[in-house]
């Protein structure tokens, strides 16, 4: 009996060695984009596995007797009992200049009908974030073109700035405006769980503003599997890392990470991973932290490139204390909080200045913007504090009434329609004019008209001042004196209803 047992053990070990060398397994269970496989004894975590018939998968659960894998593509082609082979490779996506201006899926395959993409290389989807030694501090602004953000919640190159708010509060609009405002920055927009029609509209809007010339769209639509939605943001940041390694600046938008977390929860529960708080798997924090940590600004020894991340999170009833929002808030360097009440009241962008913050702050602002932003924040904060008393304005002293009136004008100036970014020098002069009181006598209804005509006046009469401000990004004493003179002249002209005349 002992001899038979010994012989069986030898045969079993020989069989195991044979299977190990071949590294072939058998599908024992299949369904909902997830497969369970027996026999893949040498498979590695996150290794790409081949199911045949053009279908591949990713090994995510390495258990004692079987392997849990997620499937890319049509899982209905896979049958129970069929063979599966390892590839010895990790998941990679195509990267390079050829992707710019294209719409691709989460694996980098073109889905815009514009032909095959010839990539420069392939980058791994999962990669360790740059270390502290390779990074440098965030001190260069990334202009969004949105006055309220550039002035009060500045974003720097290499920063991770969260855009958070309820549904339909203009989160995507802020991200798209920022993409439209870029010129020398490569932009990557990752759509997770969006409708195909929404992505088509986005592409059309970017083409209208000539922004697709520097943009890649990675789309994992609502009709795609949870696996594709789960992998999409990692594919997007891998494409961004190629350009960062070339020493270039990249902006990446994740729209949105709430749907990403839902997709990951679906995949995890199908793989029978233990769920944690709110039925989410316990490692959902690691899901987003390992993604967002890859945003960085490298120092000159490593090329000096950067990835700036704008993750988007959707809240329910403005609840920023929920599980996923608090996770992402703790990972990022600040948040732009959009409030539905402000949006419905006509304030666009619907920015809640009290909760919104940039932890990089003035370090990511030009000197010109910093010189006007300090007074702007102070005036706006005073207005917010006194706003409750505005209905009793007849009983207020002149100073308090003046602060309330100026706050109303600042709020009006900060309103901005979508897809109309404002240049830095124009932002600075308009914010300077409103904080210095030049709009105090202008009626609220005429503030927008005043702003447009004021910029037109400066472009005609003081073009040198604007170009100098754009070039030096500093508002010095000489410029201030020139601005004071030309602004007083314009205010008088505006109040009298005069027209702008070209400087002789």
């Amino acid at each position: 009996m002992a001899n038979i047992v010994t012989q069986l053990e030898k045969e079993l070990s020989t069989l195991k060695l044979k299977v190990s060398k071949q590294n072939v397994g058998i599908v024992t269970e299949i369904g909902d984009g997830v497969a369970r496989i027996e026999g893949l004894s040498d498979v590695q975590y996150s290794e790409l596995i081949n199911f045949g018939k053009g279908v591949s998968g990713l090994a995510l659960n390495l258990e004692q007797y079987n392997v849990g894998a997620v499937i890319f593509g049509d899982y209905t082609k896979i049958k129970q009992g069929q063979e599966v082979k390892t590839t010895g490779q990790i998941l990679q996506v195509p990267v390079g200049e050829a992707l710019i201006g294209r719409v691709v899926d989460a694996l980098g395959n073109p889905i815009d009908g514009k032909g095959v993409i010839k990539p420069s290389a392939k980058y791994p989807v999962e990669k360790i974030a740059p270390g502290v030694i390779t990074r440098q501090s965030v001190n260069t602004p990334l202009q969004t073109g949105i006055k309220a953000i550039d002035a009060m919640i500045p974003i720097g190159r290499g920063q991770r700035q969260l855009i958070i708010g309820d549904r339909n509060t203009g989160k995507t609009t802020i991200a798209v405006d920022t993409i439209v405002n870029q010129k020398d920055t490569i932009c990557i927009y990752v759509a997770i769980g969006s409708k195909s029609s929404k992505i088509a509209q986005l592409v059309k809007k970017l083409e209208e503003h000539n922004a697709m010339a520097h943009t890649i769209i990675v789309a994992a639509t609502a009709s795609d599997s949870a696996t594709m939605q789960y992998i999409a943001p990692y594919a997007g940041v891998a494409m961004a890392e190629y350009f960062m390694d070339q020493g270039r600046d990249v902006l990446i938008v994740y729209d949105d990470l709430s749907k990403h977390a839902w997709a990951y929860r679906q995949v995890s529960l199908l793989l029978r991973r233990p769920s944690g708080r709110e039925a989410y798997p316990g490692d959902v924090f690691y899901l987003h932290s390992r993604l967002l940590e890859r945003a960085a600004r490298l120092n000159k020894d490593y090329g000096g490139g950067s990835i700036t991340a704008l993750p988007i999170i959707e809240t329910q009833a403005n609840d920023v204390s929920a599980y996923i929002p608090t996770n992402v808030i703790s990972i990022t360097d600040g948040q732009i909080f959009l409030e539905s009440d402000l949006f419905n009241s006509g304030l666009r962008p619907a920015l809640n200045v009290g909760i919104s913050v940039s932890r990089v702050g003035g370090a990511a602002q030009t000197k010109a913007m910093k010189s006007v932003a300090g007074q702007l924040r102070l005036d706006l904060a005073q207005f917010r504090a006194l706003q409750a008393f505005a209905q009793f304005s007849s009983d207020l002293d002149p100073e308090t009434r003046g602060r309330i009136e100026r706050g109303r004008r600042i709020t009006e100036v900060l309103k901005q329609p979508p897809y109309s970014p404002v240049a830095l020098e124009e932002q600075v002069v308009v914010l300077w004019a409103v904080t210095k009181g030049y709009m105090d006598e202008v009626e609220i209804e005429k503030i927008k008209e005043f702003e447009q005509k004021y910029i037109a006046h400066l472009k005609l009469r003081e073009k040198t001042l604007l170009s100098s401000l754009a070039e030096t990004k500093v508002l010095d004493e000489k410029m201030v004196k020139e601005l004071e003179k030309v602004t007083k002249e314009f205010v008088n002209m505006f109040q009298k209803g005069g027209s702008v005349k070209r400087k002789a």
Side-chain angles (χ1 to χ4, degrees), residues 355-375:
I355 298 178
S356 301
V357 66
S358 171
R359 296 189 185 104
V360 173
Q365 272 181 320
T366 61
K367 289 182 179 179
M369 183 58 83
K370 206 183 291 187
S371 65
V372 297
Q375 186 63 41

Side-chain angles (χ1 to χ4, degrees), residues 33-46:
V34 168
R36 291 202 167 271
I37 306 153
E38 286 185 3
L40 293 180
S41 54
D42 278 357
V43 73
Q44 300 178 62
Y45 180 74
S46 285

Side-chain angles (χ1 to χ4, degrees), residues 450-461 490 500:
F450 179 95
E451 184 183 340
Q452 289 167 4
K453 289 185 176 178
Y454 179 55
I455 293 297
H457 181 79
L458 288 174
K459 283 181 177 177
L460 284 173
R461 300 293 301 273
F490 174 76
V500 179

Side-chain angles (χ1 to χ4, degrees), residues 71-354:
I71 298 158
F72 303 119
D74 186 5
Y75 70 88
T76 57
K77 292 180 181 178
I78 301 168
K79 305 297 178 187
Q80 193 174 1
Q82 81 174 56
E83 283 191 349
V84 185
K85 296 179 182 178
T86 56
T87 61
Q89 299 176 337
I90 58 171
L91 182 62
Q92 296 178 313
V93 289
V95 297
E97 301 283 341
L99 276 84
I100 297 174
R102 302 297 300 272
V103 183
V104 297
D105 66 10
L107 299 177
N109 302 313
I111 54 173
D112 54 5
K114 294 181 180 178
V116 179
I117 293 172
K118 294 181 180 178
S120 305
K122 285 198 170 187
Y123 264 44
V125 163
E126 295 275 8
K127 189 179 174 185
I128 296 173
V132 176
I133 304 300
T134 64
R135 297 179 184 235
Q136 66 170 319
S137 60
V138 176
N139 55 21
T140 306
L142 183 134
Q143 299 293 337
T144 65
I146 302 167
K147 288 173 282 188
I149 293 174
D150 288 343
M152 295 183 289
I153 313 146
I155 300 171
R157 297 190 188 277
Q159 190 174 341
R160 298 153 300 177
Q161 185 77 5
L162 172 64
I163 302 172
I164 185 168
D166 278 9
R167 192 178 180 188
N168 293 331
T169 50
K171 301 185 296 297
T172 301
T173 303
I174 284 180
V176 175
D177 277 357
T178 308
I179 291 172
V180 168
N181 195 50
Q182 304 311 306
K183 290 175 177 63
D184 303 322
T185 304
I186 301 296
C187 301
I188 300 174
Y189 179 90
V190 183
I192 308 161
S194 301
K195 292 179 182 177
S196 300
S197 58
K198 183 184 174 184
I199 295 166
Q201 288 168 4
L202 173 70
V203 172
K204 186 181 177 183
K205 190 62 69 176
L206 291 174
E207 284 175 344
E208 283 174 9
H209 293 87
N210 299 319
M212 275 305 286
H214 59 255
T215 304
I216 303 168
I217 294 179
V218 181
T221 63
S223 58
D224 287 334
S225 66
T227 305
M228 296 293 268
Q229 292 180 42
Y230 156 66
I231 218 74
Y234 299 102
V237 76
M239 294 170 190
E241 281 169 340
Y242 168 82
F243 296 107
M244 181 173 71
D245 292 345
Q246 307 293 318
R248 297 170 74 177
D249 295 312
V250 187
L251 169 69
I252 185 163
V253 176
Y254 304 111
D255 189 5
D256 66 73
L257 291 188
S258 299
K259 291 191 183 78
H260 183 232
W262 299 345
Y264 176 70
R265 176 176 61 176
Q266 184 178 331
V267 167
S268 292
L269 296 180
L270 285 169
L271 286 169
R272 297 176 194 167
R273 290 183 172 184
S275 56
R277 181 179 167 186
E278 294 182 13
Y280 273 93
D283 56 348
V284 74
F285 179 87
Y286 180 55
L287 173 79
H288 290 150
S289 65
R290 77 178 191 264
L291 171 71
L292 294 169
E293 282 296 328
R294 289 163 76 174
R297 185 170 179 229
L298 302 179
N299 61 40
K300 290 180 181 178
D301 295 337
Y302 291 86
S306 71
I307 296 176
T308 308
L310 293 181
I312 295 175
I313 287 286
E314 185 180 301
T315 55
Q316 306 290 329
N318 293 322
D319 183 13
V320 293
S321 63
Y323 183 43
I324 301 302
T326 49
N327 270 346
V328 184
I329 285 170
S330 65
I331 297 164
T332 49
D333 307 311
Q335 67 272 351
I336 296 166
F337 181 61
L338 304 176
E339 202 167 0
S340 47
D341 289 346
L342 294 173
F343 186 85
N344 295 332
S345 68
L347 183 63
R348 317 278 172 87
L351 200 63
N352 183 319
V353 183

